[in-house]
Amino acid sequence: EYIDSYYYNKLEYTRFSSSVGKFVGFTERGVKNAEYWNNGPSKVSAMKAQKEGYCLHSIQIDYTAALTKS
């Protein structure tokens, strides 16, 4: 799962979760940001692409390393 969280003053206000597939807001401002970002397809598409580029690439490396050590 790919998660990208946004914080202000140590309080999480917005999060993108790949399992949900969109941004979720936790504060009043975070809900507004999430709504705005979810309505623009480019931001959500960029986050999904980051998951593809980072998570799927790294999982293969980790999986291979675990198999060679066991």
Side-chain angles (χ1 to χ4, degrees):
E1 181 177 14
Y2 178 74
I3 296 175
D4 190 20
S5 298
Y6 297 83
Y7 290 85
Y8 181 75
N9 283 341
K10 299 181 182 179
L11 177 66
E12 183 178 26
Y13 64 92
T14 308
R15 173 191 300 171
F16 175 83
S17 175
S18 64
S19 63
V20 177
K22 64 179 185 175
F23 288 92
V24 178
F26 299 106
T27 64
E28 183 179 341
R29 180 67 180 162
V31 170
K32 289 179 183 179
N33 283 347
E35 193 174 293
Y36 177 74
W37 292 337
N38 287 330
N39 287 332
S42 63
K43 184 79 169 170
V44 175
S45 296
M47 298 306 287
K48 289 180 180 179
Q50 285 184 7
K51 175 197 173 199
E52 298 289 327
Y54 181 76
C55 294
L56 297 181
H57 172 72
S58 297
I59 193 68
Q60 183 61 41
I61 294 169
D62 294 343
Y63 184 72
T64 304
L67 286 179
T68 58
K69 292 182 180 180
S70 38

